[in-house]
């Protein structure tokens, strides 16, 4: 704020200071004897400067502040232009002015230039804040600065010393009309500055700070017109993806619901639920979750046993040291096998008639991949999908992953050199959404959704674990026929319990025609045996060979 009591003594003090200070530096080489600067503030906010400097020595130069830190995001820039009376060089933060002349003796040079960016509009006033003098590479004996803006000065202050100093200058005051501000400073050392601060009425000029956004990690992710458009595009892309999923997955759900209500291909056969005609367990498993899982292949093995293509024999723990099973090849009609079933049957036995389940561990994984691929081909051949579900997922997931990778590289590059890193981030999000959404992209055809409607009703029946009353042979046949489907539906324990009491009418009940247990084994043990068999089979056929080093 203005200390107005200093106005009264200003002329006398200034005259005395100048008289005393000048001789002290008059004969000293490499010094500025006096630096008088007259600043005029124009309505557009420019400062027009006329500077008269008296110095001696070579290489005398003045450094202006060109850029200063304003806040976390911005730098304030001051431009010194239209320079006459000297030469100018610039770097990112400084403007260096070298007056003309130099050499032996004293030299007086008149400099003119303009300054842009020194005015700041505030809430209740307009402020001029400028490092008006100093910055010389030699000591300065006397500095005078006068500022006229055509408006009354509301308050003023000045500081001398290093940049950012809070030490007041020697003297500051206004003239009798209060429209011109005066500043005085004695003995500025090399590299020291005189900073002036003047308050004017609001609207004195149209000037405002020139701001350069600082490039930091925070500014790299700034929302602007370009990045905002990218985010809007991302939103449109995500909404489009949701719409696409709704049109495909929602269509499946609508068809399933409608077919279930209409009773199309009803899952009721002679008063009892049954699987869709001709649809095998592995096919149903792939249809339901659109994945050819290991459990679907395990269910197919059991189904091949039920249909008399192989016999499952449970081996005694005492003989082999652990529970194990033996698969024995049977000669069923090859023409009744689906391509994936024939591939599986041949892979299990590979030219042999008997194989232990434990022998498949670590050796069957390659054949398993081929069987699963044949299952995917089969559901397309059945007309349930237009494309292989695994290929559809892979296509979308790969595209999304590549897009996310490009976005990651782009984000790093944009964050390092621009403020557009949000574009790269939007690409990452879009790629990730595409990769995740790709898992849901396989869509069933109308025919596939119809078969699924039938399948869901059949699954509900197996979940209840109810078999019709009747002769034990009929119950065993029905149980055996449905058991592979129960494996797919993860309801083996409940469904296997339906035959635990078979044999109550005096018939033999210690084995099934397709599953033989060890001595003293009967159907009451079957649920636990089948649970163990499915777990062991899934593990054996999917295990990869492990390489070991011998010590």
């Amino acid at each position: 704020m203005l200390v107005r009591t200093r106005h009264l003594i200003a002329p006398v003090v200034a005259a005395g200071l100048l008289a005393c200070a000048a001789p002290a530096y008059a004969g000293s080489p490499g010094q500025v004897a006096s630096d008088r600067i007259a600043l005029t503030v124009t309505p557009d906010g420019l400062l027009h400067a006329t500077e008269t400097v008296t110095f001696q020595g070579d290489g005398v130069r003045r450094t202006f502040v060109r850029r200063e830190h304003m806040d976390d995001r911005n730098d304030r820039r001051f431009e010194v232009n239209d320079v006459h009376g000297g030469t100018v060089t610039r770097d990112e933060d400084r403007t260096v002015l070298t007056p003309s002349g130099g050499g032996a003796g004293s030299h007086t040079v008149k400099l003119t230039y303009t300054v842009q960016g020194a005015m700041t509009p505030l809430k209740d006033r307009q402020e001029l804040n400028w490092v008006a003098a100093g910055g010389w590479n030699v000591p300065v004996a006397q500095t005078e600065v006068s500022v006229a803006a055509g408006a009354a000065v509301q308050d003023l202050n000045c500081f001398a010393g290093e940049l950012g100093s809070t030490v007041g200058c020697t003297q500051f005051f206004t003239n009798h009309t209060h429209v011109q501000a005066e500043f005085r400073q004695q003995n500025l050392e090399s590299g020291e500055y005189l900073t002036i601060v003047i308050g004017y009425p609001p609207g004195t000029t149209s000037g405002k700070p020139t701001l350069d956004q600082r490039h930091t990690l925070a500014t790299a992710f700034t929302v602007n017109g370009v990045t905002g458009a990218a985010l809007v595009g991302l939103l449109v892309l995500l909404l489009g993806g949701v719409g696409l999923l709704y049109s495909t997955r929602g269509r499946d759900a609508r068809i399933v619901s409608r077919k279930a209500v209409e009773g199309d291909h009803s899952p009721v056969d002679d008063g009892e639920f049954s699987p869709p005609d001709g649809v095998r367990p592995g096919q149903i498993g792939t249809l339901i979750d659109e994945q050819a899982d290991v459990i679907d292949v395990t269910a197919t093995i059991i189904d091949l046993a039920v249909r008399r293509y192989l016999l499952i024999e449970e081996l005694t723990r005492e003989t082999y040291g652990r529970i194990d099973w033996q698969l024995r090849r049977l000669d069923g009609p090859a023409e009744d096998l689906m391509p994936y079933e024939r591939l599986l049957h041949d892979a299990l036995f590979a030219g042999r008639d008997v194989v232990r389940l434990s022998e498949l561990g670590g050796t069957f994984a390659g054949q398993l991949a081929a069987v699963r691929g044949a299952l995917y081909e089969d559901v397309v051949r059945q007309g349930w999908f237009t494309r292989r579900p695994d290929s559809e997922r892979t296509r979308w997931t790969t595209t999304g992953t590549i897009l996310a990778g490009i976005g990651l590289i782009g984000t790093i590059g944009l964050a390092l050199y621009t403020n557009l890193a949000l574009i790269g981030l939007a690409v990452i999000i879009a790629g990730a959404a595409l990769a995740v959404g790709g898992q849901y992209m396989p869509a069933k055809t109308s025919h596939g959704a119809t078969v699924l409607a039938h399948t869901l009703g059949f699954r509900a029946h197996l979940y209840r674990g109810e078999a019709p009353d009747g002769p034990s042979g009929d119950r065993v046949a029905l149980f055996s026929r449905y058991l592979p489907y129960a494996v797919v539906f993860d309801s083996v324990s409940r469904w296997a319990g339906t035959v635990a009491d078979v044999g109550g009418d005096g018939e033999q009940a210690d084995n099934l025609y397709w599953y033989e247990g060890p001595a003293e084994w009967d159907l009451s043990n079957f649920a636990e045996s089948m649970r163990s068999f499915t777990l062991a089979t899934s593990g054996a056929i999917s295990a990869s060979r492990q390489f070991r080093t011998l010590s």
Side-chain angles (χ1 to χ4, degrees):
M1 299 294 292
L2 172 62
V3 184
R4 300 189 182 277
T5 55
R6 304 175 83 169
H7 299 174
L8 300 177
I9 63 172
V12 176
V13 173
L17 291 173
L18 288 172
C20 298
Y25 290 91
S28 302
Q31 295 182 351
V32 173
S34 66
D35 187 13
R36 296 180 175 86
I37 304 170
L39 298 176
T40 302
V41 183
T42 61
D44 59 2
L46 284 177
L47 303 184
H48 288 267
T50 300
E51 181 172 357
T52 303
V53 56
T54 299
F55 67 96
Q56 50 184 278
D58 287 324
V60 176
R61 60 185 181 275
R62 180 184 174 192
T63 299
F64 293 86
V65 175
R66 190 181 185 197
R67 185 185 304 273
E68 68 177 17
H69 180 81
M70 184 172 182
D71 54 37
D72 291 339
R73 288 178 174 268
N74 297 292
D75 289 335
R76 183 168 183 173
R77 182 161 47 85
F78 305 91
E79 291 294 353
V80 177
N81 297 313
D82 304 321
V83 177
H84 298 280
T87 59
V88 171
T89 59
R90 295 181 176 87
D91 61 23
E92 195 68 20
D93 300 318
R94 299 286 183 265
T95 298
V96 180
L97 189 158
T98 303
S100 302
S106 179
H107 305 273
T108 298
V109 177
K110 181 179 180 181
L111 305 169
T112 60
Y113 51 86
T114 61
V115 179
Q116 180 181 352
M119 300 300 297
T120 305
L122 301 175
K123 182 177 180 181
D124 57 349
R125 62 177 181 160
Q126 193 168 55
E127 184 178 270
L128 168 62
N129 191 323
W130 170 236
V131 183
W136 293 95
N137 64 334
V138 294
V140 182
Q142 181 68 33
T143 302
E144 300 179 14
V145 178
S146 64
V147 184
V153 175
Q154 293 184 333
D155 53 61
L156 74 166
N157 208 337
C158 63
F159 306 95
E162 300 290 336
L163 286 175
S165 170
T166 57
V167 177
C169 65
T170 303
Q171 188 181 27
F172 58 92
F173 56 93
T174 62
N175 66 356
H176 66 283
T177 59
H178 302 294
V179 295
Q180 181 166 306
E182 302 284 346
F183 303 89
R184 304 287 185 268
Q185 178 61 38
Q186 296 181 39
N187 302 333
L188 283 176
E189 296 296 329
S190 172
E192 292 185 339
Y193 291 86
L194 174 65
T195 301
I196 64 173
V197 182
I198 308 174
Y200 292 106
T204 298
T205 74
S206 60
K208 58 184 179 180
T210 301
L211 301 181
D212 288 338
Q213 194 173 64
R214 187 183 305 107
H215 185 68
T216 64
L217 186 60
T219 59
F221 293 89
T222 301
V223 177
N224 50 46
V226 178
T227 58
L231 293 176
V232 171
L234 171 62
L235 178 61
V236 171
L237 179 64
L238 292 178
L239 290 177
V242 171
L244 180 60
L245 285 176
Y246 177 79
S247 66
T248 55
R249 309 298 297 198
R251 181 194 63 195
D252 291 352
R254 290 191 295 273
I255 293 176
V256 168
S257 300
R258 185 175 70 251
K259 296 300 181 182
V261 171
E262 294 174 356
D264 189 3
H265 293 277
S266 172
V268 177
D269 182 13
D270 295 330
E272 295 297 335
F273 280 84
S274 64
D277 292 339
V279 179
R280 305 287 166 74
Q283 294 173 318
I284 279 184
T286 306
L287 174 66
I288 288 179
D289 61 6
E290 298 152 357
Q291 303 221 31
D293 299 316
V294 175
I295 195 64
D296 301 332
V297 179
T298 299
T300 301
I301 293 174
I302 298 174
D303 187 51
L304 290 175
V306 172
R307 290 158 53 202
R308 303 179 187 274
Y309 287 91
L310 59 90
L311 175 65
I312 303 173
E313 299 173 306
E314 183 176 331
L315 305 177
T316 60
R317 187 185 299 268
E318 292 77 9
T319 302
Y320 295 94
R322 62 175 180 174
I323 188 170
D324 201 353
W325 289 263
Q326 184 171 269
L327 306 181
R328 185 177 299 277
R329 181 175 189 151
L330 301 178
D331 293 326
E335 62 273 10
D336 292 340
L337 291 176
M338 297 283 188
Y340 74 91
E341 292 176 323
R342 185 180 302 110
L343 182 63
L344 174 60
H345 188 266
D346 293 344
L348 284 173
F349 294 103
R352 55 196 168 185
D353 292 329
V354 178
V355 60
R356 288 209 314 272
L357 191 60
S358 57
E359 294 175 346
L360 298 176
T363 64
F364 196 78
Q367 292 91 327
L368 175 64
V371 173
R372 294 176 64 186
L375 256 175
Y376 284 123
E377 294 289 348
D378 183 82
V379 294
V380 175
R381 191 181 305 110
Q382 299 295 329
W384 300 341
F385 296 90
T386 56
R387 287 184 291 270
R388 285 179 48 155
D390 60 330
S391 299
E392 189 78 353
R393 279 189 296 269
T394 300
R395 183 164 65 93
W396 286 95
T397 301
T398 301
T399 302
T401 302
I402 293 174
L403 188 62
I406 293 173
L408 178 61
I409 296 173
T411 299
I412 295 173
L414 291 171
L416 289 175
Y417 302 107
T418 73
N419 295 333
L420 304 176
L422 279 179
I423 295 177
L425 188 59
V427 174
I428 292 176
I429 296 174
L434 202 60
V436 174
Q439 302 302 308
Y440 304 93
M441 291 310 295
K444 301 174 186 65
T445 63
S446 178
H447 177 48
T450 300
V451 175
L452 179 61
H454 185 164
T455 299
L456 295 180
F458 176 54
R459 182 176 66 178
H461 170 61
L462 291 186
Y463 277 170
R464 290 194 295 271
E466 299 174 355
D469 294 331
S472 60
D474 293 343
R475 293 186 65 191
V476 169
L478 182 66
F479 160 78
S480 298
R481 180 189 173 198
Y482 289 175
L483 180 62
Y485 299 95
V487 172
V488 170
F489 298 143
D490 194 23
S491 59
V492 172
S493 297
R494 280 173 287 188
W495 186 243
T498 62
V499 295
D501 59 347
V502 172
D505 55 1
E507 299 181 25
Q508 184 179 1
D510 58 348
N511 282 301
L512 297 173
Y513 69 89
W514 56 272
Y515 189 101
E516 293 184 358
E520 299 182 1
W521 182 95
D522 59 36
L523 290 182
S524 63
N525 307 118
F526 182 76
E528 178 61 26
S529 292
M530 185 51 55
R531 186 186 70 84
S532 300
F533 176 77
T534 55
L535 291 174
T537 303
S538 296
I541 65 177
S542 61
S544 299
R545 184 183 298 277
Q546 301 295 318
F547 293 93
R548 300 180 180 178
T549 58
L550 299 178
S551 56

